[in-house]
Amino acid sequence: MTSTKNAPLDLGLLGRTAVIDEGGRLSIGGVDIESLAQQFGTPLYVYDEVELRGRCAEYRTIFAGGVAYASKAFLCGAMARIVEEEGLDLDVSTSGEFDLARAFGFPAARLVIHGNNKSAAELSAAIESGVKHIVVDSADELDRIETLVSDSSDAYPTLLIRVNPGIDAHTHEYLATGATDSKFGFSIESQDAFDIAARIIRNPALRFGGLHAHIGSQIFAPASYAAALERLVALIARIERELSQSIGELSIGGGLGVRYVVTDNPPTIDQHGQALVSNFDRLIKEHGVTSEPRLSTEPGRSIAGPAGLTLYTVGTIKDLPGIRTYVSVDGGISDNPRPALYGAEYETFVPARADSDRARVVTIAGKHCEQGDLLIRDAYVPSDLAVGDVIAVPCTGAYGHSMASNYNAMTRPAVVFVNDGKARLVVRRESLEDLLARDLCSAPDKMGLE
Ligand code: LLP
């Protein structure tokens, strides 16, 4: 494996169908990547469909039916279809994600409902459509659910409890959700988790499905999951013992980290999954749990992230002698806010010269009116990088499209899936008409748009 950043692109940062031909050109899914920029314009999100499906299958092999894809990482109709075909459930955390999933035809019975502030309307829609699980996050929410079920005699929603195990996930502060100071879930330490379980179990109008925990995101440390499982299985044992209640499921959430830059070394899906399963099995025995709960998981980033890349076109190259060289591209914080939000690191390369050494260090800047709109602070690029070149940023498949904005009235990029020698436009580029559609005081006729 390549260990220096200035070497040619490490194919390990791309999907499994990525190939560099003898001329140094990169293709993915049998499609020449630079040609996509000409065909669909830039910025452009490109996904390797085989990689997406492969990653779903890797999780399915370990967890069988116990995988819910976290739609917040990346959702569109084509992705919902893949998730459905690959036999995964779907995690949605707002009515927006719920409505999209339903509009994409995803079966309600395979939806898991999340969120730390679900409204009565959101809960009602979930209960009426017969979702698989509602993950209860607060006592206020349980009040709302109890009111809804008392108004309807034939609805028995299955509830999981979002448990906060109180552990450090060793990730960015904004991405850690399992520490004691978190807006999510019920703490084990304070007894809140046990008390809410007792309340659900005593209510005959509710079904107690089990527990759920999500300790954070972009996690590389298996020990964080092991520590969480230890506390969660102890809680399962206590619920069994003191409330005489069997536990159907423990979802350990998502969070597995991915490789954004060549020096990142996260566990593979297989290593991560096997470690979870073997720790869980051992702890179930050690704690004398008898009800055979199923361990399930909810990955987002580790399915969508490495399957996607973003293409940009270089527009300007400005050299500040002795300081740095700014290479500005036609996207930025509006298609990828992660560097600005989390200090996230990425690499870049030129798909038409993917075998070039990347000996020159530059800063890849977006085109937004903010100095903080930097996609890659220290990017290794080919020495001959020039205006007009198409560059690619790997591993943008998760939390890029889904967190994109219209800042500076930028229109959001199109999404293309590549597979089997074909490129399929699955989300078209946003247009000026889309931006104007919500503005009740616009005058598109004056621009010749009507
Ligand atoms: N389940 C729950 C309840 C979650 O809150 C999340 C992510 C997941 C599953 C999926 O986690 P993953 O496998 O993708 O790590 N915008 C941030 C990530 C925020 C994650 C929020 N919750 C980023 O761009 O890094």
Side-chain angles (χ1 to χ4, degrees):
M1 189 182 294
T2 315
S3 61
T4 49
K5 277 184 168 178
N6 60 359
L9 167 76
D10 182 333
L11 277 181
L13 292 177
L14 299 175
R16 62 196 71 186
T17 68
V19 180
I20 298 176
D21 72 13
E22 281 168 11
R25 296 184 70 86
L26 173 78
S27 68
I28 299 180
V31 176
D32 181 78
I33 290 301
E34 193 200 30
S35 73
L36 294 173
Q38 276 84 56
Q39 196 180 346
F40 299 103
T42 53
L44 184 70
Y45 300 118
V46 180
Y47 286 80
D48 179 347
E49 191 169 336
V50 169
E51 183 69 26
L52 283 173
R53 288 186 186 274
R55 288 179 167 265
C56 291
E58 285 167 42
Y59 271 109
R60 197 183 54 229
T61 305
I62 300 166
F63 294 92
V67 190
Y69 166 68
S71 68
K72 70 209 80 182
F74 168 59
L75 183 64
C76 64
M79 184 63 188
R81 177 66 58 84
I82 286 179
V83 173
E84 187 182 351
E85 286 173 1
E86 293 299 326
L88 273 49
D89 294 338
L90 195 68
D91 140 15
V92 295
S93 53
T94 60
S95 57
E97 287 175 355
F98 174 86
D99 290 343
L100 280 188
R102 299 295 289 133
F104 296 148
F106 199 88
R110 285 168 55 185
L111 291 178
V112 178
I113 311 295
H114 276 289
N116 64 306
N117 180 15
K118 305 178 195 72
S119 67
E122 286 173 317
L123 291 165
S124 169
I127 293 169
E128 270 172 33
S129 61
V131 299
K132 182 174 183 183
H133 290 141
I134 298 174
V135 185
V136 179
D137 194 280
S138 68
D140 293 313
E141 190 179 305
L142 188 55
D143 292 345
R144 284 175 210 146
I145 294 173
E146 287 185 332
T147 306
L148 287 167
V149 293
S150 67
D151 293 345
S152 147
S153 53
D154 57 352
Y156 294 95
T158 303
L159 308 184
L160 300 185
I161 299 171
R162 172 75 181 256
V163 174
N164 180 348
I167 58 107
D168 184 354
H170 301 287
T171 184
H172 190 282
E173 176 193 351
Y174 296 173
L175 307 182
T177 47
T180 311
D181 181 359
S182 167
K183 71 171 181 167
F184 295 105
F186 297 90
S187 156
I188 296 186
E189 202 181 341
S190 70
Q191 302 293 313
D192 286 352
F194 181 81
D195 292 346
I196 208 81
R199 185 172 150 194
I200 293 172
I201 290 161
R202 284 194 203 106
N203 186 335
L206 301 174
R207 293 198 182 105
F208 176 72
L211 306 181
H212 180 287
H214 171 75
I215 60 172
S217 201
Q218 184 60 0
I219 300 172
F220 283 27
S224 301
Y225 285 100
L229 278 178
E230 178 82 48
R231 295 183 186 185
L232 290 160
V233 175
L235 178 61
I236 288 176
R238 182 172 173 212
I239 293 172
E240 254 191 25
R241 213 171 43 241
E242 296 182 29
L243 301 173
S244 305
Q245 171 69 43
S246 63
I247 314 283
E249 180 163 339
L250 170 64
S251 170
I252 192 63
L256 174 62
V258 298
R259 196 162 169 239
Y260 286 102
V261 295
V262 76
T263 45
D264 285 339
N265 192 17
T268 63
I269 292 174
D270 187 57
Q271 288 164 342
H272 170 68
Q274 299 296 355
L276 286 176
V277 169
S278 70
N279 271 326
F280 179 69
D281 290 347
R282 174 181 54 79
L283 288 164
I284 289 289
K285 285 196 195 86
E286 277 175 21
H287 286 268
V289 172
T290 55
S291 55
E292 297 183 8
R294 172 163 90 171
L295 182 68
S296 62
T297 185
E298 214 167 58
R301 185 191 318 266
S302 53
I303 288 181
L309 59 73
T310 309
L311 296 180
Y312 302 97
T313 304
V314 173
T316 63
I317 300 183
K318 187 182 287 178
D319 192 26
L320 307 187
I323 303 177
R324 66 176 67 244
T325 300
Y326 284 100
V327 172
S328 293
V329 297
D330 50 356
I333 203 170
S334 56
D335 59 77
N336 186 357
R338 302 193 66 262
L341 267 176
Y342 317 117
E345 293 189 336
Y346 290 88
E347 294 205 25
T348 190
F349 66 98
V350 177
R353 307 194 289 287
D355 57 351
S356 301
D357 272 346
R358 293 174 296 166
R360 188 172 172 199
V361 183
V362 301
T363 293
I364 306 290
K367 67 177 282 158
H368 292 272
C369 286
E370 285 213 15
Q371 179 59 29
D373 175 29
L374 305 177
L375 283 170
I376 311 175
R377 200 167 280 274
D378 292 311
Y380 291 79
V381 295
S383 317
D384 60 352
L385 187 76
V387 168
D389 273 343
V390 172
I391 64 167
V393 176
C395 205
T396 56
Y399 304 109
H401 172 267
S402 64
M403 290 175 72
S405 76
N406 293 123
Y407 183 41
N408 291 144
M410 293 276 279
T411 50
R412 285 172 289 186
V415 182
V416 167
F417 279 19
V418 289
N419 189 15
D420 215 6
K422 290 188 210 63
R424 184 160 64 105
L425 181 66
V426 298
V427 179
R428 70 157 167 80
R429 186 174 303 281
E430 216 169 12
S431 65
L432 176 63
E433 287 86 341
D434 292 326
L435 295 189
L436 289 172
R438 290 191 310 136
D439 194 312
L440 303 179
C441 299
S442 65
D445 51 324
K446 296 214 172 82
M447 298 179 60
L449 290 172
E450 268 184 7

